[in-house]
Amino acid sequence: MLQKLRDKTSGWIVTVILGLLMIPFLFVIDNSYLGGVGAQNVAKVSAPPTWWRSAPSWWPVRMMWQHHEISAQDFRTRFEQERMRERQQQGENFDPRAFESTENKLAVLDQLIDEQVVRLVGEQAGVVIGDGAVREYITTIPGFLGADGKFSESNYRLALAGGNPPRTPTQFQELVRESLQQSVIPSGLQNSGFVTQAETERLLKLLGETRDVELAALPEVPVDTAPVTDAQIKQWYDSHGKDFRQAESVSLEYVELNGANLPAPTAADEATLRKRYEDEKAKFTTPEQRQAAHILITGDGAEAKAAKLAVEAKAAGADFAALAKANSEDPGSKAQGGDLGWVERGAMVKPFEDALFGAKAGEVIGPVKTDFGYHIIKVAAVRGGQGKSFEEVRDTLAAEQLKADGERGFNDLAGRLVDAINKSPSDLSAAAKAVGLSMQTLGPITRTTATGIAADPAVLRAAFSDVLVQDGTASDPIALGGSSNHSVVIRVAAHTPEQALPLDKAREQVIAAIRADRQRQAGDKAADALLAKLKAGATLQSLAASEKLQLSPMPGLPRSQPVPTPEINRAIFSAPVPAEGKPSYGKVDVNGHALLFAVNKVNPGDIKEVTAEQQKQLKDQLSQIDGMAAAKAYIEAMRKKFVIQTTEANL
């Protein structure tokens, strides 16, 4: 059929037919060809070609643009890196389920997009990173350095091979090249930041500023007891729905294993204790130590010179310390007459150590050759090396054996419980019965109302983990309080996700919120009325007497400290500077209660109290902040010029 069509048609007829054939093809073609994000990718960053900066973004012109896509695999790799970093920072408080939030995923995606924006900027600017720069950077990476602090080729290849994922040197060099290319422009902008000396001094004056203030607490507003209508309740609930949520909750089944509740193990017999003593005899022996001194000789003729000095040092009445001071070439001990202090095995190089511990107290030996030179060694004294008898440590051995037997019994019980659970992971009751323990229940509990065993952070994390919530299976034993003989196995018997609290259940909370808002508004209204009087010419002292305000003078309130509270401090230092003889007034809300304040005087910080070094440090920090802000602003500006498309469904 197609052959006949080819033979019998030509010209515009062929064109029309091919056009008709193309129409259905456009509906199945990969979206990335039409300017969208590829099926396996999460984002695409596109920039107009360098030779046509004003090129439109519509298809098919978009096909001439430069494109960089972010794959789903790249995103998952970076997200896992962020997960590991957060886990290291938060330790036991890390909640893996909470980390999986859409907000965190979008934040990581935003980082990757910024990197691709910078990469495109570098490519369009013609930034090229040479092989020499790549090699130089790699040789400074700490993980590739040897014991001597220099680049180690073997360490480099081992690190790349053991990486996640493993990389060849060529792959890693390209990764470094790309990273350097991305960093050239932002780094240049960061390094270009600067502030003037005048700006630094102005900030120092602000940071050191204090204000003479008076605070005035208004009398408590009477508790609101006015009726609340159903219409008001409904209106408040509808407009504040996010305030009335039923927290995620779980109900737990659990089996607790506590070594303290197990029968005490039988005391060990004499034979067991003696065997333990023989196995651990070294533990009851103090390490042998030798008080040593030496004379070190190096260089040409060292062996002959050392042999001569050894004869002198071994002679009757010889002053070893004087010989060391006059002849030793060890700068660390020469001034002390060669004294090395008390030495244990493993502290010296082997030839020196073998000679030292093979000699008797008071003996002079040598010359002994090591990699450092020739040593004449004096053993000034010997101590340690004696062991305690079985009778002396019997009680210690008995206590240790009793503890070990108790731990073994606990571990055996935990092992049998795990074996029973593995037979039926969703039936914790049967597993508990099989090992003679009882299953208990707890809940429903939320993350903030957990009690009992669920108050333990490790248990709480497990209780709300995706694995236990979704599978309904029992957990592995979870150590309580980090104890080695107290643990619990839990199973999520029921789970209720976070959801809106129905109005009938939230009714009392809504009424309380309405009355609290009324009370706050009444306090605000009273504060506004008094503030108007102050601005009209009244003084805070006169109002305090007539309105029964509680005045609290606070002279020299510092800007740099959050006192009396961060909110009050922020409001006071946001108030205008008072005119001569006329205070500056304001109000601030503290936990629903209005507070008035008067700023009577502003005292600028004294630059003379700041050392030149401190001023320089602040100036450097401000310059760094200015540079970082410039780099961030540049990236944001370039993002607006580029076309950025994301597919959140692939995250």
Side-chain angles (χ1 to χ4, degrees):
M1 178 66 185
L2 290 177
Q3 181 62 36
K4 291 181 180 179
L5 184 64
R6 184 173 68 89
D7 293 340
K8 297 183 179 292
T9 58
S10 61
W12 66 270
I13 300 178
V14 174
T15 303
V16 171
I17 293 174
L18 290 176
L20 291 173
L21 291 173
M22 282 292 292
I23 291 174
F25 176 71
L26 291 176
F27 288 98
V28 298
I29 194 171
D30 189 333
N31 192 42
S32 62
Y33 285 96
L34 302 179
V37 182
Q40 301 302 318
N41 298 324
V42 295
K44 180 192 230 181
V45 181
S46 304
T50 55
W51 50 271
W52 189 6
R53 297 288 188 183
S54 59
S57 60
W58 39 262
W59 187 84
V61 178
R62 174 83 65 82
M63 296 181 70
M64 293 186 292
W65 283 38
Q66 290 178 270
H67 308 284
H68 282 307
E69 297 206 42
I70 302 169
S71 71
Q73 180 59 46
D74 289 340
F75 170 79
R76 283 192 289 270
T77 299
R78 179 64 62 85
F79 194 72
E80 286 304 312
Q81 290 172 351
E82 286 298 309
R83 187 200 305 275
M84 292 175 61
R85 186 179 63 82
E86 287 294 324
R87 188 188 296 277
Q88 290 175 350
Q89 287 184 350
Q90 298 181 26
E92 292 187 355
N93 295 324
F94 178 72
D95 186 343
R97 193 174 182 203
F99 182 78
E100 290 282 345
S101 67
T102 301
E103 181 181 359
N104 283 346
K105 290 181 179 179
L106 292 178
V108 170
L109 179 60
D110 210 45
Q111 293 175 7
L112 291 169
I113 289 173
D114 279 348
E115 291 174 9
Q116 294 305 319
V117 167
V118 173
R119 180 182 172 188
L120 271 171
V121 168
E123 290 176 358
Q124 293 200 325
V127 175
V128 177
I129 306 298
D131 293 342
V134 172
R135 285 194 297 270
E136 182 178 354
Y137 181 82
I138 290 175
T139 59
T140 64
I141 296 176
F144 302 153
L145 304 184
D148 57 357
K150 297 180 180 179
F151 176 75
S152 168
E153 183 71 25
S154 59
N155 287 357
Y156 172 53
R157 294 186 177 276
L158 283 173
L160 295 187
N164 186 18
R167 290 188 174 92
T168 65
T170 301
Q171 290 172 332
F172 186 73
Q173 288 167 18
E174 289 309 307
L175 182 66
V176 170
R177 192 189 310 278
E178 183 178 308
S179 298
L180 291 176
Q181 184 192 43
Q182 291 176 4
S183 67
V184 167
I185 294 177
S187 296
L189 289 170
Q190 288 179 21
N191 294 333
S192 69
F194 73 95
V195 293
T196 64
Q197 184 63 28
E199 289 175 315
T200 304
E201 292 179 359
R202 177 176 173 275
L203 183 59
L204 284 170
K205 289 179 180 179
L206 284 174
L207 291 173
E209 179 184 300
T210 63
R211 294 191 170 193
D212 297 341
V213 180
E214 287 179 295
L215 300 178
L218 278 65
E220 287 288 336
V221 177
V223 176
D224 183 89
T225 57
V228 180
T229 67
D230 289 342
Q232 290 172 326
I233 293 173
K234 181 69 166 58
Q235 182 183 9
W236 186 276
Y237 177 81
D238 289 342
S239 58
H240 297 80
K242 292 183 179 179
D243 295 340
F244 306 104
R245 303 284 296 175
Q246 181 173 300
E248 178 186 18
S249 65
V250 294
S251 294
L252 302 178
E253 297 174 349
Y254 70 94
V255 178
E256 187 174 0
L257 300 94
N258 191 343
N261 297 333
L262 298 179
T266 305
D269 57 25
E270 196 77 1
T272 301
L273 295 181
R274 285 194 175 276
K275 183 178 184 306
R276 188 180 184 95
Y277 173 75
E278 292 299 327
D279 292 341
E280 301 179 1
K281 185 178 289 186
K283 185 172 68 175
F284 304 109
T285 302
T286 56
E288 182 181 351
Q289 295 179 322
R290 305 247 164 159
Q291 188 177 21
H294 81 138
I295 301 170
L296 174 64
I297 304 299
T298 64
D300 296 336
E303 184 175 7
K305 183 178 179 181
K308 181 180 177 183
L309 282 170
V311 172
E312 295 181 35
K314 294 174 183 177
D319 189 339
F320 191 90
L323 287 171
K325 288 180 180 180
N327 299 281
S328 181
E329 297 174 43
D330 177 10
S333 66
K334 179 176 181 176
Q336 290 76 40
D339 185 27
L340 297 173
W342 290 96
V343 178
E344 292 184 14
R345 288 189 181 274
M348 298 293 182
V349 292
K350 192 174 187 308
F352 188 104
E353 184 177 280
D354 289 344
L356 176 64
F357 283 88
K360 299 177 182 179
E363 189 176 356
V364 176
I365 54 176
V368 177
K369 183 182 179 182
T370 72
D371 291 341
F372 299 98
Y374 290 87
H375 307 259
I376 299 95
I377 305 170
K378 180 179 181 180
V379 184
V382 177
R383 70 182 182 188
Q386 296 84 27
K388 294 182 180 180
S389 68
F390 171 77
E391 288 70 21
E392 290 177 293
V393 297
R394 188 185 187 286
D395 290 344
T396 300
L397 291 168
E400 290 177 351
Q401 187 65 45
L402 197 64
K403 181 180 178 183
D405 290 342
E407 290 176 350
R408 187 179 299 108
F410 175 84
N411 292 333
D412 287 345
L413 177 62
R416 288 191 289 116
L417 177 61
V418 170
D419 290 341
I421 289 172
N422 288 337
K423 294 178 181 177
S424 183
S426 300
D427 192 350
L428 192 54
S429 176
K433 187 177 180 180
V435 297
L437 295 174
S438 61
M439 186 192 77
Q440 303 178 65
T441 60
L442 178 66
I445 59 168
T446 68
R447 295 174 189 269
T448 57
T449 63
T451 57
I453 57 103
D456 186 285
V459 176
L460 191 63
R461 282 195 302 274
F464 286 91
S465 67
D466 285 340
V467 172
L468 295 190
V469 166
Q470 294 173 7
D471 293 354
T473 56
S475 71
D476 292 329
I478 303 168
L480 292 174
S483 173
S484 61
N485 66 342
H486 191 193
S487 62
V488 66
V489 174
I490 67 172
R491 189 182 83 85
V492 177
H495 171 254
T496 303
E498 181 186 4
Q499 56 188 301
L501 196 64
L503 180 55
D504 59 334
K505 292 185 178 180
R507 183 179 178 85
E508 293 304 317
Q509 296 180 36
V510 174
I511 292 173
I514 292 173
R515 286 178 170 161
D517 185 63
R518 286 176 179 174
Q519 193 169 352
R520 183 191 60 76
Q521 289 186 32
D524 248 8
K525 186 176 180 181
D528 286 338
L530 295 178
L531 190 59
K533 291 181 180 181
L534 290 170
K535 292 181 177 179
T539 64
L540 199 56
Q541 290 78 9
S542 64
L543 285 182
S546 62
E547 303 292 338
K548 298 181 180 180
L549 306 181
Q550 184 179 348
L551 273 184
S552 300
M554 300 189 71
L557 184 71
R559 178 192 290 271
S560 57
Q561 299 178 22
V563 291
T565 70
E567 296 82 8
I568 295 174
N569 189 278
R570 190 159 43 246
I572 288 172
F573 282 91
S574 297
V577 175
E580 187 66 34
K582 188 176 181 181
S584 175
Y585 298 107
K587 72 167 187 174
V588 59
D589 185 274
V590 182
N591 297 326
H593 300 286
L595 190 74
L596 297 178
F597 63 83
V599 179
N600 297 315
K601 185 182 178 183
V602 172
N603 311 298
D606 187 357
I607 298 178
K608 295 179 181 177
E609 295 180 358
V610 184
T611 66
E613 181 61 27
Q614 290 173 328
Q615 290 189 38
K616 183 180 182 304
Q617 289 178 356
L618 177 62
K619 188 174 181 180
D620 291 343
Q621 290 174 357
L622 293 175
S623 297
Q624 186 177 13
I625 292 171
D626 180 69
M628 292 173 66
K632 182 179 179 181
Y634 177 76
I635 294 173
E636 289 176 351
M638 296 311 298
R639 285 183 67 144
K640 293 177 181 178
K641 292 185 178 182
F642 294 169
V643 173
I644 298 171
Q645 299 162 280
T646 60
T647 303
E648 293 183 17
N650 290 347
L651 295 180

